[in-house]
Amino acid sequence: SNLRRWPANLYSLFDEGKNMYSSTIHVLVSAVQKLAKVVRVPEGLYLYRGLGGKLNLPPSWYKAGANGCRGLAEWGFMSTTSHREVALMYSGVREGRPQAMVLQIRAGAVDRGACIRDFSQYPQEVEYLWVPCSYIEPIDHEHLEVTEDGPVTIIPVRVNANLKTMLVEELIAQKKNIHLSAFSYVLDELSHNLQALTEEHHAMERHQADEWTGGSSIQQAVC
């Protein structure tokens, strides 16, 4: 709900509590990205996602925008499964919902989810999880399929995985570089201010009169 900002009532609870779980989300994104890179994808693997049967797809799905593309961005983690029957269960057809739909995704070498079966509460669903902000676009005509529970719209799509997400190690390195750069700037500014002080009137005399200088020159004291 934090990433999608929906449902609104649930999102407002986190927003009012001033805790959006940013660190938790970044760690999970990093873990999913790492798993996706090493997971073995069987040849010809298709993944499926049931859409619940309560919502219609947005206008951007059917009509190309100014850039000539159709589709939508999934702002949150996107759950898919390699078992078609599981996706049908989540399509809403069993509840008799009129918008029962299933996305059919061809997994690729680059664009693929992370198999989290070993970490799932429901390992039998063989879940493949995609990182947030992946883009979904239709690649073929949708068709209606009649199941024993009723009609379901099957929609062939391509999912472009968000490859710009950062690993935890990359985030830590980025923050480290930011702090080191800021510290270097402070040191340069301090050195500049000290150099300006050495050029003030009577600075040399005051330095020589100071018994704590140990006989060092004013330039050595600055450095």
Side-chain angles (χ1 to χ4, degrees), residues 6-208:
W6 185 89
N9 60 333
L10 185 58
Y11 170 76
S12 65
L13 293 177
F14 294 106
D15 188 36
E16 292 170 3
K18 305 302 180 184
N19 187 353
M20 305 307 290
Y21 292 91
S22 301
S23 297
T24 303
I25 291 171
H26 278 299
V27 170
L28 292 175
V29 168
S30 177
V32 171
Q33 187 179 12
K34 289 177 181 178
L35 284 174
K37 289 180 178 179
V38 299
V39 67
R40 181 183 178 277
V41 177
E43 186 176 355
L45 175 67
Y46 279 94
L47 299 174
Y48 306 90
R49 175 173 174 78
L51 299 183
K54 293 183 178 180
L55 301 173
N56 289 317
L57 293 170
S60 62
W61 186 264
Y62 301 101
K63 184 178 180 180
N67 59 358
C69 298
R70 294 187 296 142
L72 58 88
E74 172 54 81
W75 300 111
F77 291 94
M78 185 174 73
S79 175
T80 59
T81 175
S82 61
H83 286 186
R84 200 166 182 271
E85 296 75 15
V86 173
L88 289 172
M89 181 178 66
Y90 287 106
S91 69
V93 66
R94 293 184 179 178
E95 292 78 13
R97 296 169 184 164
Q99 288 90 13
M101 291 180 281
V102 169
L103 301 181
Q104 177 180 279
I105 307 160
R106 178 68 180 269
V110 177
D111 296 315
R112 53 182 176 170
C115 182
I116 60 170
R117 178 177 184 173
D118 294 339
F119 312 99
S120 175
Q121 187 177 358
Y122 306 100
Q124 70 277 8
E125 294 186 355
V126 192
E127 182 179 357
Y128 283 74
L129 195 61
W130 298 71
V131 293
C133 296
S134 294
Y135 192 79
I136 310 170
E137 58 179 325
I139 58 174
D140 203 349
H141 296 293
E142 58 188 50
H143 60 276
L144 196 65
E145 182 175 308
V146 179
T147 70
E148 61 181 13
D149 297 305
V152 179
T153 302
I154 307 297
I155 309 173
V157 301
R158 175 187 295 113
V159 177
N160 299 300
N162 179 13
L163 302 179
K164 293 187 176 181
T165 56
M166 299 179 70
L167 302 179
V168 168
E169 293 80 3
E170 293 171 334
L171 285 168
I172 292 175
Q174 184 186 67
K175 289 182 178 295
K176 179 181 178 180
N177 289 334
I178 291 173
H179 288 302
L180 288 176
S181 296
F183 186 63
S184 177
Y185 173 80
V186 171
L187 288 179
D188 290 342
E189 186 178 30
L190 177 61
S191 177
H192 175 77
N193 292 338
L194 289 174
Q195 187 64 38
L197 288 175
T198 65
E199 298 172 0
E200 288 185 356
H201 188 57
H202 299 309
M204 182 64 72
E205 291 80 354
R206 293 200 305 270
H207 176 74
Q208 292 176 347

